[in-house]
């Protein structure tokens, strides 16, 4: 009886060694299954079975270090504290703090965030959908990421007017065109400047049948992809030349912390009515809130306050951001609770 047990143990060890040898040849020495089969004098199907058994018995462990790691705990914390339907937070690399990033880290973050948001967006665009799109560098990286797939009978609607020039990320027409090509859909352009000289010029343009049709299409949008803008020199409207430093100071003085497609809001989500909006040609806040999926994208600590305000304003109900922004948002909410000011939500998600 003792001899039999010893023999069985020896056979088990030899079997495990053979599985390990096959796995080592395949995974580490880069031999094909056919090459391994010839070496062992067995069929290729036997090699395939042995590799599968090696994985099943734990002899082989496959680890995938995906570059788009998320931070589930932070995501859940944001969804528990704010009126969000969904949230994706790009996890920071282990060697990067939540503070300032160098230029290489920043470039990597915006590319990865664009890919993460594109994968999220792609899952929510169904055949026959109408997709409204804004502008901004992160939105631009989403639509050019290569992670979007062609859909059937999809329409893309430009949500805000164009600025022209050679800066594609802040030109609504170029962003909409890129998204239309990626999805294989028809594009409805908003053929007008983003901001005009006075309200009467805007009123005249709003009577144009093409502009009216595009804005009417935006009312039926199923999904929105918009950038969360901050009231800083990095904002698209500032970079496009429609605002100067004094304008930014005035807007901040009115309590505004950010904008979505030129619609400004405060930290508590309340609207911040500005004269600028009377000269802006874009989908209104009321139009944007009609869309079932309102995906906002942005990253970095500077987007924390704008993101909180945009969510409370109901302009965003799904957020894709990075861990530095998300943790800064949670700090904002903690400070509000400590001060006894819990903020508020102006709309349902």
């Amino acid at each position: 009886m003792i001899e039999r047990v010893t023999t069985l143990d020896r056979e088990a060890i030899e079997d495990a060694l053979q599985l390990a040898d096959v796995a080592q040849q395949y995974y580490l020495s880069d031999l094909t299954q056919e090459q391994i089969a010839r070496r062992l004098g067995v069929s290729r199907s036997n090699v395939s079975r042995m590799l599968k058994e090696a994985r099943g018995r734990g002899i082989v462990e496959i680890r995938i270090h995906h570059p788009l790691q998320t931070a589930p705990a932070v995501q859940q914390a944001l969804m528990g504290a704010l009126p969000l339907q969904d949230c994706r937070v790009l996890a920071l690399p282990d060697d990067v703090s939540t503070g300032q990033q160098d230029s290489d880290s920043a470039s990597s973050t915006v590319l990865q965030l664009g890919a993460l948001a594109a994968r999220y967006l792609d899952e929510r665009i169904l055949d026959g959908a109408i997709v409204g799109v804004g502008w901004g560098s992160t939105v631009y990286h989403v639509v050019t990421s290569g992670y979007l797939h062609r859909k059937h009978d999809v329409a893309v609607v430009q949500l805000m007017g164009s600025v022209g020039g050679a800066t594609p990320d802040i030109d609504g027409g170029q962003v909409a065109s890129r998204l239309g090509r990626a999805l294989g859909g028809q594009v409805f352009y908003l053929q007008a400047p983003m901001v005009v000289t006075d309200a009467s010029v805007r009123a005249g343009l709003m009577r144009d049948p093409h502009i009216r049709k595009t804005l009417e299409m935006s009312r039926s949008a199923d999904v929105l992809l918009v950038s969360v803008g901050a009231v800083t020199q990095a904002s698209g409207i500032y970079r496009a030349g429609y605002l100067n430093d004094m304008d930014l100071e005035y807007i901040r003085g009115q309590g505004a912390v950010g904008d979505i497609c030129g619609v400004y809001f405060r930290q508590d989500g309340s609207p911040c009515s500005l004269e600028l909006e009377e000269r802006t040609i874009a989908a209104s806040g009321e139009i944007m809130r009609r869309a079932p999926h309102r995906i906002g994208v942005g990253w970095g600590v500077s987007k924390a306050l704008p993101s909180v305000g945009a969510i409370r304003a109901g302009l965003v109900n799904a957020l894709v951001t990075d861990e530095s922004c998300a943790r800064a948002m949670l700090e904002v909410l903690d400070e509000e609770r400590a001060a006894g000011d819990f903020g508020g939500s102006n709309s349902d998600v």
Side-chain angles (χ1 to χ4, degrees), residues 196-237:
V196 294
T197 53
D198 57 57
S200 62
V201 174
R202 178 183 183 275
L205 287 171
M206 294 294 277
R207 290 192 291 270
D208 179 87
H210 300 291
I211 293 175
R212 290 175 60 184
K213 181 177 182 180
T214 297
L215 290 176
E216 194 59 35
M217 283 287 294
S218 68
R219 288 182 174 275
S220 302
D222 302 288
V223 184
L224 300 185
L225 173 65
V226 294
S227 177
V228 179
V231 189
T232 67
Q233 293 180 352
S235 72
I237 297 178

Side-chain angles (χ1 to χ4, degrees), residues 6-83:
T6 303
T7 300
L8 290 174
D9 285 346
R10 185 183 302 112
E11 289 176 353
I13 292 171
E14 290 176 352
D15 183 50
L17 285 172
Q18 185 178 44
L19 292 179
D21 287 340
V22 169
Q24 186 172 21
Q25 292 177 66
Y26 184 72
Y27 290 107
L28 298 181
S29 299
D30 292 327
L31 295 181
T32 66
Q33 293 185 22
E34 186 64 38
Q35 289 172 323
I36 297 170
R38 286 200 299 268
R39 283 189 171 193
L40 297 179
V42 299
S43 68
R44 183 181 176 280
S45 61
N46 274 342
V47 174
S48 178
R49 177 192 58 77
M50 294 168 74
L51 290 170
K52 184 176 181 180
E53 186 176 349
R55 292 196 299 272
R57 289 168 59 173
I59 295 172
V60 172
E61 294 181 1
I62 299 176
R63 296 182 181 180
I64 299 174
H65 298 279
H66 202 291
L68 299 181
Q69 294 288 337
T70 57
V74 182
Q75 292 170 178
Q76 291 302 316
L78 283 178
M79 291 181 64
L82 290 166

Side-chain angles (χ1 to χ4, degrees), residues 48-342:
S48 178
R49 177 192 58 77
M50 294 168 74
L51 290 170
K52 184 176 181 180
E53 186 176 349
R55 292 196 299 272
R57 289 168 59 173
I59 295 172
V60 172
E61 294 181 1
I62 299 176
R63 296 182 181 180
I64 299 174
H65 298 279
H66 202 291
L68 299 181
Q69 294 288 337
T70 57
V74 182
Q75 292 170 178
Q76 291 302 316
L78 283 178
M79 291 181 64
L82 290 166
L84 281 168
Q85 284 184 351
D86 210 348
C87 182
R88 294 290 184 275
V89 174
L90 178 70
L92 284 172
D94 293 337
D95 58 346
V96 176
S97 71
T98 56
Q100 294 292 325
Q101 300 181 31
D102 59 32
S103 58
D104 289 340
S105 296
S107 297
S108 176
T109 296
V110 71
L111 288 173
Q112 291 184 43
L113 191 67
L116 180 65
R119 289 156 66 103
Y120 180 84
L121 174 67
D122 191 67
E123 293 174 356
R124 279 142 192 85
I125 301 176
L126 306 179
D127 290 342
I130 298 175
V131 185
V133 63
W135 66 5
S137 60
T138 310
V139 167
Y140 180 78
H141 281 94
V142 174
V143 303
T144 58
S145 68
Y147 284 92
L148 296 170
H149 300 91
R150 296 175 73 86
K151 312 285 182 176
H152 177 68
D153 194 29
V154 167
V156 173
V157 180
Q158 181 182 340
L159 293 177
M160 53 200 306
S162 300
V163 298
T167 309
D169 65 316
I170 59 171
D171 186 83
Q174 292 194 53
V175 173
S177 177
R178 293 271 194 155
L179 181 57
R181 287 203 299 271
L183 298 176
Q186 182 180 4
V187 180
F188 291 82
Y189 294 100
L190 198 54
Q191 302 283 17
M194 170 64 183
V195 179
V196 294
T197 53
D198 57 57
S200 62
V201 174
R202 178 183 183 275
L205 287 171
M206 294 294 277
R207 290 192 291 270
D208 179 87
H210 300 291
I211 293 175
R212 290 175 60 184
K213 181 177 182 180
T214 297
L215 290 176
E216 194 59 35
M217 283 287 294
S218 68
R219 288 182 174 275
S220 302
D222 302 288
V223 184
L224 300 185
L225 173 65
V226 294
S227 177
V228 179
V231 189
T232 67
Q233 293 180 352
S235 72
I237 297 178
Y238 181 94
R239 288 192 291 138
Y242 292 123
L243 298 176
N244 56 37
D245 291 338
M246 291 183 62
D247 294 325
L248 291 180
E249 185 177 350
Y250 172 79
I251 293 171
R252 286 193 291 262
Q254 299 303 302
V257 296
D259 81 289
I260 299 283
C261 295
V263 177
Y264 286 86
F265 45 81
R266 299 183 176 89
Q267 182 175 333
D268 64 359
S270 61
C272 187
S273 298
L274 300 168
E275 182 273 337
L276 178 66
E277 288 187 43
E278 298 176 6
R279 299 186 287 112
T280 299
I281 299 177
S284 66
E286 179 270 328
I287 287 177
M288 287 189 282
R289 291 185 191 96
R290 297 168 65 98
H293 300 288
R294 306 181 292 278
I295 304 169
V297 294
W299 66 280
V301 174
S302 65
K303 295 298 179 76
L305 272 180
S307 296
V308 170
I311 294 164
R312 287 173 168 165
L315 299 172
V316 167
N317 65 2
L319 180 69
V320 182
T321 188
D322 74 322
E323 193 172 348
S324 61
C325 177
R327 291 192 179 278
M329 291 172 67
L330 292 173
E331 289 178 7
V332 168
L333 300 176
D334 286 342
E335 290 171 0
E336 289 180 347
R337 282 190 288 269
D341 178 9
F342 293 91

